[in-house]
Amino acid sequence: MDIEGKHVLVLGGFGLVGSAVCRALLAERPARLVVASLLQAEAEAAVERLRREFTLAPVEIIPLWGNVFVRAEYKDTPRSALMADPRIRSRLLADVFQELNEDIYAASFLAQVIEGRAPGLGGHPADIIVDCINTATVLAYQNIYDAASHLLALAREERQGGVNWAFELEGMLSVIPTPQLVRHIQILYEAMKRAGTGAYIKVGTTGTGGMGLNIPYSHGERKPSRVLLTKSAMAGAHTLLLFLLARTPDAPPIVKEIKPAAAIAWKEIAYGPIRRGGQPIPLYDCPPEAAYPLEQALSGKGSFGQPTEDVLESVYIDTGENGLFSLGEFTALSTLGQMEFVTPEEIARVVVAEIKGGSTGLDVIAALDSAVMGPTYRAAFLRDAALTRLHQLEAQHGVESIAFEMLGPPRLSKLLFEAALIKRACGSIGAALDQTPESLAQALLSQVSASPDLRTQAISIGIPILLPDGGRMLRGPVMKAHTPEEGWVDLRPENMARWQARLSAIRAEIAQTLSGDTSSRLDRIFADSRAWRANDTFDIGEVVAWIFIHEDAGPSLAGRVGGRDHLSSRLRTARPPRWSTWV
């Protein structure tokens, strides 16, 4: 993909890698570069630095700041303050744990940034996104372990009358990382669809700098900490979700992840104050004559050490998000056989090369795609044997195997039962198309009345039957869905008209496969196409699969070499989101 003239968004643009990526992108002459960071000072400093370095570049460079994991109205408020406000905390929890809907999506700062709706972006959506945010760290270091320990300690106390359990439970829920990651990916996907984004590149992490479970350095615990392993777990989950995103036809045609497996260094080598959490480390003294008795020192009770007026100053190497390392620390970290390191400029060059279509061999999504075990020739060969035996058993036992509501969602069962009713009532596509929607609805109602086997199957697994008048329903004790679209057998004439449109399109597709083109160009999905015949019958499973592919934009890209761009452009349609079907 050409970068020149495009609108490019770099998330985490202030960081070590983000800064290098911005420099590499500016050399490609995009129309505009949006440099996003958490804090306003960071975003503005990054843009000022880039403008000084690229004085002649005809590129609009725009700073943008805020937390992309929350609503836009909360983007500049520290997380601790958000969690301290009961009203806001409840709202943020709902944004993560409720089904995604238009309100949650539209309010998301991430969605507004990608679509160009955020202030200062002028309505220009992102053509290219490079995501340098260390998402795994953001989620893992909320520290679910501390929250769990706190909650368990409260539960074990003898006197619990003063505990606000709703508040404590919400605090625990707010730091569970996986739901936050899932919601982040859902919003990212929907925003890129609406923005028409062409490329998404993630700079990810292994969590351990490429080392294993024997990593000698960690935060808080030894070799390695639970929090650090949670970071690695989130990084892995993030990668697999991006792997699925890359297999989604209406996602950006280019979805890649570069995952450095080493320390990333460096930003600066200097002498000066050593800062931890942005603050200088104060110096304390404790001369031998002021030594504490061991028991007192180990108790932790009281104050220890004598404060000086100084702060810690030394020679350091700045590794960006990983902090400042001493000479000794960096030497140990980077020596052969330890974490070693990679430079941010090398990562940036790979990012740009992958956007432009280069094959660096360093995209982990492509590596996964080539390594996973997909559909096999043997399975395809045996599929007909399985289907044949299933049909034999149907005939032997005089039953029709339609749906059990174990695969789900209820929409799948609903469509299978509707297709089965049409097949029973009409027998062929032509017979279904020869009727009016009203007469077809009555024909299906007659089948429902005359077929207790089908009727009881449907309502017993939670699929109700809406009668043609739209005002009456057949149902059992369980109902799996709350709308006709989600999972009711719908006998209303308007739904029959929809089915007739589907069957007409299916008949045309079968006719195309039998029109004389005997090459491998066409996918022969239907049994008639594979058997080279036109008898106008249909299989209910094949019909429902056709609906999933064409109406729900749900085809699989597995095994379709070179087919991604074609499918993506064919299925990228401006349909409203069907929030009720999101999982």
Side-chain angles (χ1 to χ4, degrees), residues 235-439:
H238 200 164
T239 296
L240 198 60
L241 288 169
L242 294 180
F243 171 71
L244 299 181
L245 182 67
R247 290 186 161 218
T248 304
D250 53 0
I254 299 172
V255 176
K256 299 175 181 289
E257 182 184 2
I258 311 304
K259 191 181 282 290
I264 303 172
W266 68 87
K267 184 176 184 179
E268 178 188 38
I269 296 175
Y271 170 86
I274 307 303
R275 298 176 181 272
R276 179 187 295 137
Q279 299 299 318
I281 298 175
L283 288 178
Y284 291 83
D285 192 15
C286 184
E289 59 270 20
Y292 301 96
L294 184 60
E295 184 177 348
Q296 179 187 356
L298 294 179
S299 72
K301 297 178 180 179
S303 58
F304 300 95
Q306 302 171 9
T308 71
E309 299 298 322
D310 298 323
V311 297
L312 177 60
E313 293 188 338
S314 188
V315 173
Y316 63 83
I317 182 168
D318 185 347
T319 63
E321 292 89 331
N322 286 324
L324 305 181
F325 292 155
S326 70
L327 169 59
E329 289 168 331
F330 184 70
T331 302
L333 179 88
S334 62
T335 197
L336 187 64
Q338 282 299 291
M339 195 176 289
E340 306 171 21
F341 76 102
V342 61
T343 66
E345 292 74 24
E346 291 170 298
I347 298 170
R349 284 196 290 270
V350 170
V351 167
V352 170
E354 289 287 349
I355 293 173
K356 295 173 67 176
S359 181
T360 66
L362 298 173
D363 166 28
V364 297
I365 304 301
L368 279 173
D369 201 49
S370 65
V372 295
M373 189 171 182
T376 64
Y377 184 85
R378 184 175 189 271
F381 192 84
L382 291 176
R383 178 175 183 265
D384 279 344
L387 295 178
T388 297
R389 184 56 178 157
L390 286 164
H391 285 302
Q392 287 176 348
L393 288 172
E394 272 192 332
Q396 178 183 333
H397 294 280
V399 299
E400 190 171 6
S401 179
I402 301 171
F404 306 141
E405 191 44 36
M406 293 186 187
L407 175 60
R411 174 170 160 78
L412 168 60
S413 300
K414 158 231 175 53
L415 291 170
L416 286 168
F417 276 108
E418 288 177 353
L421 281 169
I422 293 172
K423 189 171 184 178
R424 284 195 184 189
C426 303
S428 69
I429 294 176
L433 295 178
D434 285 342
Q435 302 192 50
T436 65
E438 291 74 17
S439 64

Side-chain angles (χ1 to χ4, degrees), residues 157-177:
E157 289 181 358
E158 292 183 5
R159 290 178 296 178
Q160 302 172 1
V163 177
N164 183 341
W165 287 107
F167 178 86
E168 298 296 345
L169 180 59
E170 286 181 343
M172 178 69 183
L173 291 173
S174 71
V175 296
I176 300 176

